[in-house]
Each structure stands twice: as structure tokens, then as C-alpha cells.
Amino acid sequence: MEAILKGNSIHKVFGAKNNIYTALQHVDVTINKGEFVGIMGPSGAGKTTLLNILSTIDKPTSGSIVIGGESVESMKEKDLAKFRRKHLGFIFQDYNLLDSLTIQENILLPLSLANWPAQKMEVKVREIANILGIEAILNSYPYQVSGGQKQRAAVARAIITNPSLVLADEPTGALDSKSSTDLLNTFNVLNKDYDSTILMVTHDAFAASYCDRVLFMKDGRLFTEIVRGDKDRKEFLNLLLNTLSTIGGGTHEHV
Amino acid sequence: MNMFNIVKKNIKHNFYQYFLYIASMTLSITIYFTFSSLQYNKQISQALTDTEKLESAFGASSILLLLFVSIFIWYSNNFFVKRRKKDIGLYSLLGVEKKQIGRMLFYENFIMGIIALLIGLAIGELFSVFFSMILVKLMGFSIAITFTINSRAIIQTLLVFSVIIFLTSLQGYFIIYRFKLIELFQATKKGEKINKPSLLLALLAIAMIGGSYWLLQLSPESNNWDQNFNRTIIIIIISMLVGSFLLFHSLSAFIFVLLQKNKSFYFKWSNLLTFTQLTNRLKSNAFMFTIISILNAVTLIAFGFGYSIYYNTLDQVKSFVPYSYQYESTSSEVDAKIREIIATDNDHSLIFEHDWEYTMVKGDASELKKVPGGYLYFDESFAVISNTTFNQLADKLDLDTIAPFKETEGLTIINNFIGSQDQQSNLNKSISLHSATADSKIKIVDNKSFSLLNDPVQPFLIVVNDKKYNQLRGENTPTTVHALKVTNEAKSSALTKKIMKELPSEVHFYSFSDSYQEAQSVYGLLIFISGFLGLVFLAASGSIIYFKMLTEVTDDKVRYTTLKKLGVQKIEVMRVIAKQYSVVFLLPLIVGITHSCMILTAISNLMDINFIIPVIICIVSYTMLYLSYYVLTVISCNKIVNA
């Protein structure tokens, strides 16, 4: 299988001199094309730090990251910005849609950044909106629609450029359970039918149970890894919950 | 932890916001104190012969300034309080009593006010020396300004600002009582409603601004202006103000909608971000835009007008003071002595010396449409000169000579300081000159606009046929005018002093250099005050936009972080900010410049003075200063976003 992302011995230290906090200790991660991978772990385990580093927003203290065959850590700010634009899609817990733009304008922003012609952009937006079922709200503003709809719009924005890798940071964190389920099903559809590669950080075992593979983190290290294989979702969920209780934090109440 | 500790911690944590507030208060105090120090500066008032002028000019301006400074402080206080609402809400939520919160805010504001007052006085003291030097230079005096502590100015400033600070502190005290807890938390809630562009309002905006421009450009000579001057001015000002607001509020929304239709322009990401943001904030910005454009216009009008007058001083004085020296000749010895003084002077030489005479004759001017003030001033008399005398003078002064008239015809000479020089409305009307035997009716066949006398109040001059003149001369005593013209007359004050010594004190003596000095001191004062107020207004409009943009960008920080995560480079983020703010700064500037040009054109027509060059200099220098505010704002905002 082709590796989309390869992180080698990623080390991250915060603070200086007397007040050092090690957030990540030599973490190795590989994500293959077409995979839907979850990262779980209690608060403070280093999930978000890892995601930020993998998504090039933050830099590791040491270690190497290769995304789509390109080595990221040596790139300059300017090149990184272009790289993100081309290869990565982002989904955040609090959606991060721009308030002053309509849903349609929010979705087409990455295409606009890539200087697409106006007509092609509109066609593409319609196509994506159709997959995600948000055609009806394209001309509304973010503050006029529900949280679930906002997150779908954010997903649309993340995948509209066909990125090699979609990075999601607690995407269901602000959603009710119905909207969460809808969103996770959408992820499955994107993953299975459109061959998107997705990396999702979550503390919610229910959300993680939709993944193909879940990495567990604790105290800045990779603790263990569980592959779903042919288990059904319920079985996989129970397995995840058991693992969580062994490393502490994250119990059934999160479901 | 007591209240004082909380206040101290507050200041530490929100230092930047406090700093901005203190800075804007300090600015206001500095400006006011500088101005009042000048107002009560003994050196300057001693140098001026006519202190009344200084007092009235400064007095009126200081009231304007005070009004303005209070509004500015009130604005920054509101700005500041708005940013603190969430803190206040949090204290309230944590169970701090309303009274305690109120007291805390009162003390906080009061302490900051006192700090600002002390700093303001200190800086103002330094500034006042600097500005008095400028004032003295502009007024053409040669005195050295010394550093003095001006107790009257200090007391006045302390008094005025203690009241203002007390009132704003009181406003802070009551804020907790004015709002519900939920409102305090929603103070910076996002998602303003977007204006629905209304074609009707947009058209109204064009109509109102267009209408006021049309009224302005209508000749001030028109009957409408003449008869309803006040009403016309009020209509113009109101329709300009309301029109500007509607322009920003509605017409701009309309233009944005049109832009949106051009998809390939609108969907370009930098345009998309710029215009959506502008449209989004239009409602709250329309009012600010209006204020700024009015401030810009007022500044440009005041400064443009003052500078134009100053710029034209020499020409103005030349057209009203035709000779270097003019006096009533008493004896030929005195004349000879003066001739000798001029001949021995190294810096100046005589161009011409000429004696001529006129006769004051009582008469009736009731038929005329326009009568110069000199007619009434000299007890309803005309200053009559003969056709020949006029032609001799015209020859000396490089004016056109005139052909001989009939006995019943005449030519008027009216040189208005204010108002158009177009006095053709009197043509073909008649006046009558009284005489012991029979009044003679004179038909006015022509009018000229220049001065033939140096007198500050010029009589109503009328040129008649030689024969008629001789007849009138027989009945009234003529006045002989002794006129001299020398080279380099603008710098002849030393010579003037020498000549004055030779003349008996009762003789009316009018010199160009005195008039020039007088004009320079008056116009110098005028340009100083207008320039000072101009700078103040510039600082104000700049600061208002600066504060507003800083607030917005702090609220929008998340937005720019998102953009950066989406792969927009820092430099591109800065470009978007620069583009967006260029519209914010330029729109009110353009509207302000257009308004001021229209009004200045009207004044220029009214006064018949050429405004073009000085006004262009003004606009260019104002724009440069204004744009430096733009650069400052972009840099500060960029720092906040890209730090």
C-alpha cells in the first residue's frame, strides 16, 4: 500500500530551560492512501499537538514528516502555505467558517486560492454540496444554519480540492449525536466511495469506531494501535472502550 | 484581594487597551492645553498691536476645540468600555456586587484620566513652545519665544478636563446598572445583518449630494442666494450630510451587489475576502465613514481657505494698496526730504512719484443695485476724479486708459474684498451729484475693479468728464494725494519708519509695508488656527479609524488564523488587510476631498481669489499625512494578526 503520510520519530518540546514540557516523544506514524485513521487518548496525551505537526501548522522539535513524497519539515513558510493549499484539507471542532461569507463562498475559497475560473468553481461547489446534502443552504450565511450544517460545509471546504489527506480535529466535538452520526457516515462515504484519506483526532470512542484503524496515545507516546479488520462497528467500539479504560480517561459516558 | 488590587491586575493584563485609551485622552489634553497656552501667551499678545483680534480668533476656535475634544474622549471611552463589557459581565457573574464593580470602573477611569492629564500637560508645555514659534514665524514677527509656564492655561485645562474625566468616570460607574448581564456577554457578538441595498435610497443619496453641489455651483450672485442666504446654506449642509450617510449606507451596498454579479472578479479570493468583509461591516461603518468624510472635508476647507488667503496675501495687498506710500502733501520741503531719503536708500529706488486730486461730492446712489461701503462711510459722498487724472494714474499703474465721456456719463470704481468683482449690474443706472445750483445726473457707462487709493476704507470713486469735474471742484474742496512707488515694497518697513519720522503726525500716511505686515499677521493667525485645527481633525479621523480597525481585527483574529490554516501565506493575509483598509481609508477621503473642493470653489467664486494652487498643495499634503495613518493601521493590524 502507498503511504500518504510518514512521520518518523516526531519529538516536540514546549517551553524553555527550567520549564520544559515534552508533548511528543519520538512518535512514528504512517497513514496509507484510502485509510480512515483515528487518534484517541486522554486529554494532554498529545493528540492535537501531533495533528498540528502532521498538518504542518506546527513544527516538530526533531523528527521528519513526509507527505505525498515531499519532505515537509525543511519547507519555508511560503512553500508550506502552498503545500497546505494543495495537499491538505482541514476540518475543525468549531467549524472555522468565515462569518462574512456565504456557505457557497466559504466552500469555494480553497479553489479561489488556487485561482480557479469562476464558472468551474461554481460547478464544483454544486457537485460537492450534492454529495454532502447542503445545496439548500449554499446562499445562507454561517450564522443562519445549524451546527451540523456548518460542519458539513466545513467538510465540503476541506475536500473540494481533492486533497491527499483530510485532517479532522474533534469534528464531532460540538455536534449533537444525530449530527455526529450523520457526519461520521459522510466520512465513511467519502472514504469508501471517493477514496479520501482521513486522519481524525477524537476523544470520543463512538466517533473513532467509524475508523479503519485507531492509534492510542498516552503521555506523548503511541500506546497501542487497534485495527478494525472485519469486526462490526459495535464490536470495534467495545474493543476501543476497553482499551481506553486500560489507559485511563474516556469511558462510556462519552458515547 | 481588594478592589484596588483587581484594578491593578486589570491594567496589567489589558495593558494595550488601557494604553490606547490613555493615549487618546493624552492626545486630546495635549492639543487643548497647547492651544490655550498660545491663547494666553503674553509674548504673542504683546507683539500684536491689535490683541482683540487674537482673542476673538482664539476664543472662538477654543470653543470649537473643546467641543471636539469632549466628543473624541467620549468616543474613546465608549470604545474602551465596549471592550471591557465581557470582563464586567464576568465579575458580575462571579458575584461581585454591582456597586463594587461600578466603583472599580469609576476609579479605574479616574486614575487613567489623571495620568493622561499629567502627561498631556507635560507634553503640551513642550508643544506650546514649538507651536508659538510657528505662529510667530507665520505672523511675520521677529521675536524669540522663551519657555514660560502659563498658569492661566494650566488652570483652565485642569478645570475643563477634571470635569470631563469626572463625567466619563461616572459613565463607567453606571454602565453596570445600564445593561443586563446577558447584554454584557453579547457585547462583541458577531454576525451583523447585511444591508439590503435599496435603489431608492441610493438614488436619493445621488440626488442629495448632486443637489447640494448644484446649489453651491449656482452663481452666488443668483437671486436665490441673495435673498435666502441662510436658508440655502442650511439646505446645502444638511443635504450634504444626509447624502453622504446614504451614500455610504446604501449606494456602496448597491455597488457591492453589482460587483458580486461579476463572478470572475468577485470570486477572486482577495476580492472575495475584501468585499464580503466590507459589506458585512457596512452598517456599523457607514456612520463612521460619514463622520470621517465630514472631518476630512471640514479640515480641507478650513486649511485650504486659510492657506489660499495667506498664499495670496501679496496679491491681495497689492490690489488694495496700489502705492508704496501715500500721504496728503503739506509742503514741498517735506516732499523733497522724502525724495532724498528714498534716493539715499540702498535697498529701494523710486519708480514714480505722482500728485493727483479728487473731490468729495455728496450725492444720491439710491438707483444703484450695489453700493460699496465707502459711500455710506463718507456720509453719502462720492470721490470724484476727472477723466484726465484717471488716465494719468492708469498710465503710472499700468492700467487701461479710458476714452473721454460725455458730460452726463461716468465710470465707477469698486473693489470689493468679499464678493464677486462683477459689478456690471450697476451699468446704465444713474446717480445724482448734489450741487448748490442744480444736481447733475450721471449715467454709469462702465465699472472697473481696482484701487486708486491706499486708504483702508476706500471712498466710492467715480470718474467724470473733465469739464464736469472742474465744475464740481469749484464747489467742493479737493484733496491732493501724494503717491510714491518704490521697488521691493514688500520689504520696505525700514524705509517706512524713516519716512514716517519726517511727516507731521496729523497727516494721513498709508504705506504698503504696514498694510502688508498687518495682512500677514492677520492671515498668519488665520492659517495657524486653521492649520492647527486641521491637524487636530486629522489626528481625530485617523485615530477613529485606527481604533475601529484595531477592534475589528482583534475580533477577526480567528478568521485570519483559519485563512492561514487553509494555506494563505502571511504576506497574502497582510495584502488582504491592506486592500480592505485602503477602501476604508480612501472612501471617506475621496468624499471629503470632493465636498471640500465644491465648497472651496463656491467660496473662490464668491471672493474672486484663485484657490487652485494653494488648495492642491493642501490636498496633497493632507493626503500624505492621512495615508501615513493608513500605513500605521495596516502595520499594527498585521502585527496583531500575523504575530
Side-chain angles (χ1 to χ4, degrees), chain A residues 57 77-78 81 84-85 90 92 96 98-101 105 108-109 112-113 118 121-122 141 143, chain B residues 190 192 194 263-264 266-269 273 276-277 280 559 562-565 567-570 572:
Chain A
I57 292 168
E77 208 269 339
K78 192 180 148 193
R84 281 203 286 275
R85 220 184 261 178
F90 291 92
F92 309 94
N96 282 356
L98 304 186
D99 287 318
S100 58
L101 268 57
E105 289 160 359
L108 62 74
L109 193 59
S112 175
L113 285 167
M121 282 196 259
E122 281 187 292
Y141 283 88
Y143 56 86
Chain B
K190 294 170 268 179
E192 290 179 38
I194 283 159
K263 292 254 157 89
S264 50
Y266 179 69
F267 278 165
K268 192 173 165 0
W269 66 275
L273 294 174
T276 49
Q277 188 74 348
N280 205 258
R559 166 194 170 89
T562 307
L563 283 177
K564 278 189 273 179
K565 284 186 185 168
V568 180
Q569 294 166 37
K570 280 184 179 179
E572 288 172 327

Side-chain angles (χ1 to χ4, degrees), chain A residues 178-239:
Chain A
K178 166 80 171 64
S179 305
S180 293
T181 314
D182 286 351
L183 185 75
L184 291 163
N185 282 325
T186 310
F187 278 177
N188 262 341
V189 169
L190 291 174
N191 177 240
K192 297 283 159 336
D193 301 352
Y194 295 88
D195 215 18
S196 302
T197 312
I198 304 171
L199 176 62
M200 173 173 78
V201 162
T202 182
H203 68 271
D204 178 3
F206 175 76
S209 69
Y210 280 76
C211 298
D212 299 331
R213 181 159 66 102
V214 177
L215 310 173
F216 282 89
M217 290 189 73
K218 193 186 179 185
D219 302 329
R221 293 169 195 275
L222 274 189
F223 181 75
T224 182
E225 174 188 296
I226 300 179
V227 182
R228 179 170 169 186
D230 347 308
K231 294 181 231 9
D232 75 357
R233 213 181 52 73
K234 276 249 171 77
E235 239 178 294
F236 189 45
L237 174 60
N238 282 326
L239 199 56

Side-chain angles (χ1 to χ4, degrees), chain B residues 46 63 67 78 99 113 128 131 147 167 261 290 308 338 353 417 425 442 466 484 491 504 508 550 562 587 595 599 604:
Chain B
Q46 270 162 10
I63 291 172
L67 189 78
N78 261 358
K99 207 167 145 191
S128 66
F131 277 107
F147 186 86
L167 288 178
K261 291 223 167 100
T290 314
S308 300
I338 288 171
E353 184 179 4
F417 181 63
S425 55
I442 305 281
D466 287 2
L484 298 119
K491 288 180 179 149
H508 292 295
L550 236 52
T562 307
L587 274 183
H595 282 357
I599 290 175
S604 156

Side-chain angles (χ1 to χ4, degrees), chain B residues 306-572:
Chain B
Y307 187 56
S308 300
I309 302 268
Y310 188 73
Y311 186 87
N312 288 309
T313 309
L314 192 63
D315 287 346
Q316 280 284 313
V317 175
K318 267 192 179 143
S319 73
F320 285 95
V321 184
Y323 316 114
S324 307
Y325 302 106
Q326 175 200 315
Y327 58 91
E328 287 150 37
S329 191
T330 44
S331 69
S332 50
E333 288 115 66
V334 174
D335 292 351
K337 196 130 193 201
I338 288 171
R339 215 170 293 135
E340 198 200 316
I341 292 172
I342 295 172
T344 53
D345 195 284
N346 293 328
D347 300 328
H348 308 278
S349 54
L350 192 66
I351 299 173
F352 69 76
E353 184 179 4
H354 186 63
D355 283 316
W356 58 281
E357 63 162 57
Y358 65 88
T359 306
M360 296 301 288
V361 182
K362 287 205 174 212
D364 178 36
S366 55
E367 212 179 292
L368 298 188
K369 278 209 154 170
K370 288 201 171 145
V371 181
Y375 169 72
L376 292 169
Y377 187 83
F378 289 101
D379 203 14
E380 303 194 353
S381 298
F382 297 93
V384 185
I385 65 172
S386 73
N387 198 329
T388 312
T389 307
F390 178 83
N391 280 343
Q392 283 168 354
L393 276 174
D395 185 43
K396 298 279 184 203
L397 293 171
D398 270 338
L399 301 167
D400 293 334
T401 53
I402 46 174
F405 306 118
K406 286 185 209 152
E407 222 172 297
T408 53
E409 289 175 343
L411 172 149
T412 50
I413 298 173
I414 301 175
N415 198 13
N416 277 341
F417 181 63
I418 291 178
S420 166
Q421 304 302 346
D422 174 35
Q423 298 291 344
Q424 302 311 317
S425 55
N426 284 342
L427 291 197
N428 296 321
K429 301 275 186 317
S430 296
I431 56 154
S432 75
L433 294 171
H434 296 317
S435 155
T437 50
D439 288 2
S440 35
K441 228 174 157 74
I442 305 281
K443 196 177 95 176
I444 295 166
V445 292
D446 199 1
N447 177 71
K448 302 247 178 212
S449 296
F450 41 71
S451 289
L452 291 180
L453 288 164
N454 273 13
D455 303 45
V457 182
Q458 312 230 339
F460 188 3
L461 271 166
I462 182 156
V463 184
V464 297
N465 165 297
D466 287 2
K467 194 174 155 202
K468 186 97 220 158
Y469 179 76
N470 286 331
Q471 178 205 326
L472 291 163
R473 188 182 191 269
E475 291 174 27
N476 304 280
T477 17
T479 313
T480 303
V481 176
H482 192 77
L484 298 119
K485 186 101 178 160
V486 297
T487 54
N488 196 13
E489 59 184 354
K491 288 180 179 149
S492 61
S493 48
L495 182 63
T496 306
K497 275 195 189 115
K498 280 194 247 171
I499 293 175
M500 228 148 88
K501 270 187 209 148
E502 298 304 321
L503 286 169
S505 57
E506 73 276 6
V507 167
H508 292 295
F509 173 71
Y510 304 111
S511 71
F512 181 86
S513 65
D514 283 347
S515 306
Y516 188 66
Q517 165 77 60
E518 165 93 8
Q520 207 192 1
S521 74
V522 171
Y523 298 147
L525 186 65
L526 183 72
I527 193 184
F528 177 82
I529 291 180
S530 55
F532 192 90
L533 291 181
L535 275 179
V536 172
F537 280 28
L538 172 71
S541 32
S543 308
I544 290 176
I545 306 186
Y546 183 75
F547 288 159
K548 179 94 184 169
M549 293 302 110
L550 236 52
T551 327
E552 284 188 3
V553 92
T554 319
D555 290 347
D556 287 346
K557 223 175 151 179
V558 181
R559 166 194 170 89
Y560 293 108
T561 315
T562 307
L563 283 177
K564 278 189 273 179
K565 284 186 185 168
L566 289 177
V568 180
Q569 294 166 37
K570 280 184 179 179
I571 180 101
E572 288 172 327

